[in-house]
Amino acid sequence: MTARLLHLLAGLSGRERLLIALMVFVALPLGLAQGVAVPLLARQDAARAALAEAGALQDWLRHRQSELAMLPAPDSDLGGTAPAGLRALEDALIAAGLRGSLVTLTNPSGASVSLRFAGVGFTGLMPWLDGVESRMGYRVTGLRLARGAAPDLVDAEIQLEPLP
């Protein structure tokens, strides 16, 4: 094989041999550099940029954690409370002035609570219902409202389930 290559090169002029030598010693290494080294360097730059971005994000999160640590602790009666009993729900309805409109207050499954109101004030019911989760330990799983006989009055059916 080398003899054949030497025979081929011997048949070429000096100028052609110089061009082949330039191609082998200059163009081939440049082509390899462009095809291999430049993409590797680009990947390395992208990895460095991603690392810098991750570091900046980590610093930002560390700042947010220190800010969070400075916030006051949540009230002990918010979230994670055991569900209140029927008597506590009724007392909360009395305190909110909604007991007079309550038609039924049942506990059909032992855990869930069903309430039915007739002609209750919408503007009084919604704030009470908003506080059921945080103060009473229930979440609203069903709510059906129907327009009542007068403005601001509704008939309501509410299903409450204990918070997990």
Coordinates of all heavy atoms in Angstrom, one line a residue, residues 11-58:
G11 N 4.6 10.4 -9.3 CA 4.0 10.8 -10.6 C 3.5 12.2 -10.7 O 3.1 12.7 -11.7
L12 N 3.4 12.8 -9.5 CA 2.8 14.2 -9.5 C 3.9 15.2 -9.6 O 5.1 15.0 -9.3 CB 2.1 14.4 -8.1 CG 0.9 13.5 -7.8 CD1 0.4 13.8 -6.4 CD2 -0.2 13.7 -8.8
S13 N 3.5 16.4 -10.0 CA 4.5 17.5 -10.1 C 4.8 18.1 -8.7 O 4.1 17.8 -7.7 CB 3.9 18.6 -11.0 OG 2.8 19.2 -10.4
G14 N 5.8 18.9 -8.6 CA 6.2 19.5 -7.3 C 5.1 20.3 -6.7 O 4.9 20.3 -5.5
R15 N 4.4 21.0 -7.6 CA 3.3 21.9 -7.1 C 2.2 21.1 -6.6 O 1.6 21.4 -5.5 CB 2.9 22.7 -8.3 CG 1.8 23.7 -8.0 CD 1.3 24.2 -9.3 NE 1.2 25.7 -9.2 CZ 0.8 26.4 -10.2 NH1 0.6 25.8 -11.4 NH2 0.7 27.7 -10.1
E16 N 1.8 20.0 -7.2 CA 0.8 19.1 -6.8 C 1.1 18.5 -5.4 O 0.3 18.3 -4.5 CB 0.4 18.0 -7.8 CG -0.2 18.6 -9.0 CD -0.4 17.5 -10.1 OE1 0.5 16.6 -10.2 OE2 -1.3 17.7 -10.9
R17 N 2.4 18.0 -5.3 CA 2.9 17.5 -4.0 C 2.8 18.5 -2.9 O 2.4 18.2 -1.8 CB 4.3 16.9 -4.2 CG 4.3 15.6 -4.8 CD 5.7 15.1 -4.9 NE 6.2 15.6 -6.1 CZ 7.4 15.3 -6.6 NH1 8.1 14.4 -6.1 NH2 7.8 15.8 -7.8
L18 N 3.1 19.8 -3.2 CA 3.1 20.8 -2.2 C 1.6 21.0 -1.8 O 1.3 21.2 -0.6 CB 3.7 22.1 -2.8 CG 3.7 23.3 -1.8 CD1 4.6 23.0 -0.6 CD2 4.1 24.6 -2.5
L19 N 0.7 21.0 -2.7 CA -0.7 21.2 -2.4 C -1.3 20.0 -1.5 O -2.0 20.2 -0.6 CB -1.6 21.4 -3.6 CG -1.4 22.7 -4.3 CD1 -2.2 22.7 -5.6 CD2 -2.0 23.8 -3.4
I20 N -0.8 18.8 -1.8 CA -1.3 17.7 -1.0 C -0.7 17.8 0.4 O -1.3 17.5 1.4 CB -0.9 16.4 -1.7 CG1 -1.8 16.2 -2.9 CG2 -1.0 15.2 -0.8 CD1 -1.5 15.0 -3.7
A21 N 0.6 18.2 0.5 CA 1.2 18.4 1.8 C 0.5 19.4 2.6 O 0.3 19.3 3.8 CB 2.7 18.7 1.6
L22 N 0.2 20.5 2.0 CA -0.6 21.6 2.7 C -2.0 21.1 3.2 O -2.4 21.4 4.3 CB -0.8 22.8 1.7 CG 0.3 23.8 1.7 CD1 0.0 24.9 0.6 CD2 0.4 24.5 3.0
M23 N -2.6 20.3 2.3 CA -3.9 19.7 2.7 C -3.7 18.8 3.9 O -4.5 18.9 4.8 CB -4.5 19.0 1.5 CG -5.9 18.5 1.8 SD -6.7 17.7 0.4 CE -5.9 16.2 0.4
V24 N -2.7 18.0 3.9 CA -2.5 17.0 5.0 C -2.1 17.7 6.3 O -2.6 17.4 7.4 CB -1.5 15.9 4.6 CG1 -1.1 15.1 5.8 CG2 -2.1 15.1 3.5
F25 N -1.2 18.7 6.2 CA -0.7 19.3 7.4 C -1.4 20.6 7.9 O -1.2 21.0 9.0 CB 0.8 19.6 7.2 CG 1.7 18.4 7.1 CD1 2.3 18.1 5.9 CD2 1.8 17.5 8.2 CE1 3.1 16.9 5.8 CE2 2.6 16.4 8.1 CZ 3.2 16.1 6.9
V26 N -2.3 21.2 7.0 CA -3.0 22.4 7.4 C -4.5 22.2 7.4 O -5.2 22.4 8.4 CB -2.6 23.6 6.5 CG1 -3.4 24.8 6.9 CG2 -1.1 23.9 6.7
A27 N -5.0 21.8 6.2 CA -6.5 21.7 6.1 C -7.1 20.6 6.9 O -8.1 20.8 7.5 CB -6.8 21.5 4.6
L28 N -6.4 19.4 7.0 CA -7.0 18.3 7.7 C -7.0 18.7 9.2 O -8.1 18.5 9.9 CB -6.2 17.1 7.5 CG -6.7 15.8 8.1 CD1 -8.1 15.5 7.5 CD2 -5.8 14.6 7.8
P29 N -6.0 19.2 9.9 CA -6.1 19.6 11.3 C -7.1 20.7 11.5 O -7.8 20.7 12.5 CB -4.7 20.1 11.6 CG -3.8 19.4 10.7 CD -4.6 19.3 9.4
L30 N -7.2 21.6 10.6 CA -8.2 22.7 10.7 C -9.6 22.1 10.6 O -10.5 22.5 11.4 CB -8.0 23.7 9.6 CG -7.2 24.9 10.0 CD1 -6.8 25.8 8.8 CD2 -7.9 25.8 11.0
G31 N -9.8 21.2 9.7 CA -11.1 20.6 9.6 C -11.5 19.8 10.9 O -12.6 19.8 11.3
L32 N -10.5 19.0 11.4 CA -10.8 18.3 12.7 C -11.1 19.3 13.8 O -11.9 19.0 14.6 CB -9.6 17.4 13.0 CG -9.4 16.1 12.2 CD1 -8.1 15.4 12.5 CD2 -10.6 15.2 12.4
A33 N -10.3 20.4 13.9 CA -10.6 21.3 14.9 C -12.0 21.9 14.8 O -12.7 22.1 15.8 CB -9.5 22.5 14.9
Q34 N -12.4 22.3 13.6 CA -13.7 22.8 13.4 C -14.8 21.8 13.7 O -15.9 22.1 14.2 CB -13.9 23.3 12.0 CG -13.2 24.6 11.7 CD -13.8 25.8 12.5 OE1 -15.0 25.8 12.8 NE2 -13.0 26.8 12.7
G35 N -14.5 20.6 13.4 CA -15.6 19.5 13.5 C -15.6 18.9 14.9 O -16.7 18.4 15.3
V36 N -14.5 19.0 15.7 CA -14.5 18.4 17.0 C -14.3 19.4 18.1 O -15.1 19.5 19.1 CB -13.4 17.2 17.0 CG1 -13.3 16.6 18.4 CG2 -13.7 16.2 16.0
A37 N -13.2 20.1 18.0 CA -12.9 21.0 19.1 C -13.8 22.2 19.3 O -14.2 22.5 20.5 CB -11.5 21.5 18.9
V38 N -14.3 22.8 18.3 CA -15.2 24.0 18.4 C -16.5 23.6 19.0 O -17.0 24.2 20.0 CB -15.3 24.7 17.0 CG1 -16.4 25.7 17.1 CG2 -14.0 25.3 16.6
P39 N -17.2 22.5 18.6 CA -18.4 22.1 19.3 C -18.2 21.7 20.7 O -19.0 22.0 21.6 CB -18.9 20.9 18.5 CG -18.3 21.0 17.1 CD -17.0 21.7 17.4
L40 N -17.0 21.1 21.1 CA -16.8 20.7 22.5 C -16.6 22.0 23.3 O -17.1 22.1 24.4 CB -15.5 19.9 22.6 CG -15.7 18.4 22.1 CD1 -14.3 17.7 22.2 CD2 -16.7 17.7 23.0
L41 N -15.9 23.0 22.7 CA -15.8 24.3 23.5 C -17.1 25.0 23.6 O -17.4 25.6 24.7 CB -14.8 25.2 22.7 CG -13.3 24.7 22.8 CD1 -12.4 25.6 21.9 CD2 -12.8 24.7 24.2
A42 N -18.0 24.9 22.6 CA -19.3 25.5 22.7 C -20.1 24.8 23.8 O -20.8 25.5 24.6 CB -20.0 25.4 21.4
R43 N -20.0 23.5 23.9 CA -20.7 22.8 25.0 C -20.2 23.2 26.3 O -20.9 23.3 27.3 CB -20.6 21.3 24.8 CG -21.5 20.7 23.8 CD -21.4 19.2 23.9 NE -22.3 18.5 23.0 CZ -22.2 17.2 22.7 NH1 -21.4 16.5 23.3 NH2 -23.1 16.7 21.9
Q44 N -18.9 23.3 26.4 CA -18.3 23.7 27.7 C -18.7 25.1 28.1 O -19.1 25.3 29.3 CB -16.7 23.6 27.6 CG -16.0 23.9 28.9 CD -14.5 23.8 28.7 OE1 -14.0 24.0 27.6 NE2 -13.8 23.4 29.8
D45 N -18.8 26.0 27.2 CA -19.3 27.4 27.5 C -20.8 27.3 28.0 O -21.1 28.0 28.9 CB -19.2 28.3 26.3 CG -17.7 28.7 26.0 OD1 -16.9 28.5 26.9 OD2 -17.4 29.1 24.9
A46 N -21.6 26.5 27.3 CA -23.0 26.4 27.7 C -23.1 25.8 29.1 O -24.0 26.2 29.9 CB -23.7 25.5 26.6
A47 N -22.3 24.8 29.4 CA -22.3 24.2 30.7 C -21.9 25.2 31.8 O -22.5 25.2 32.9 CB -21.4 22.9 30.7
R48 N -20.9 26.0 31.5 CA -20.5 27.0 32.5 C -21.6 28.0 32.7 O -21.8 28.4 33.8 CB -19.2 27.7 32.0 CG -18.0 26.9 32.2 CD -16.7 27.7 31.8 NE -15.6 26.9 32.0 CZ -14.6 26.8 31.1 NH1 -14.6 27.6 30.0 NH2 -13.5 26.0 31.4
A49 N -22.3 28.4 31.6 CA -23.4 29.4 31.8 C -24.5 28.8 32.6 O -25.1 29.4 33.4 CB -23.9 29.8 30.4
A50 N -24.8 27.5 32.3 CA -25.9 26.8 33.1 C -25.5 26.7 34.6 O -26.3 26.9 35.5 CB -26.2 25.4 32.5
L51 N -24.2 26.4 34.8 CA -23.8 26.3 36.2 C -23.9 27.7 36.9 O -24.3 27.8 38.1 CB -22.3 25.8 36.2 CG -21.7 25.6 37.6 CD1 -22.5 24.5 38.3 CD2 -20.2 25.2 37.4
A52 N -23.5 28.8 36.2 CA -23.6 30.1 36.8 C -25.1 30.4 37.1 O -25.4 31.0 38.1 CB -23.0 31.1 35.8
E53 N -26.0 30.1 36.1 CA -27.4 30.3 36.3 C -28.0 29.5 37.5 O -28.7 30.0 38.3 CB -28.2 30.0 35.1 CG -29.7 30.3 35.1 CD -30.4 29.9 33.8 OE1 -29.7 29.8 32.8 OE2 -31.6 29.8 33.9
A54 N -27.5 28.3 37.7 CA -28.0 27.5 38.8 C -27.5 28.1 40.1 O -28.2 28.1 41.1 CB -27.5 26.0 38.6
G55 N -26.2 28.6 40.1 CA -25.7 29.2 41.3 C -26.5 30.4 41.7 O -26.8 30.7 42.9
A56 N -26.9 31.2 40.7 CA -27.7 32.4 40.9 C -29.0 32.1 41.5 O -29.6 32.7 42.4 CB -27.8 33.3 39.6
L57 N -29.6 31.0 40.9 CA -30.9 30.6 41.4 C -30.8 30.0 42.8 O -31.7 30.3 43.7 CB -31.5 29.5 40.5 CG -32.8 28.9 40.9 CD1 -33.9 29.9 40.9 CD2 -33.2 27.7 40.0
Q58 N -29.8 29.3 43.1 CA -29.5 28.8 44.5 C -29.4 30.0 45.5 O -30.0 30.0 46.6 CB -28.3 28.0 44.5 CG -28.1 27.2 45.8 CD -27.0 26.3 45.8 OE1 -26.1 26.4 44.9 NE2 -26.9 25.3 46.7

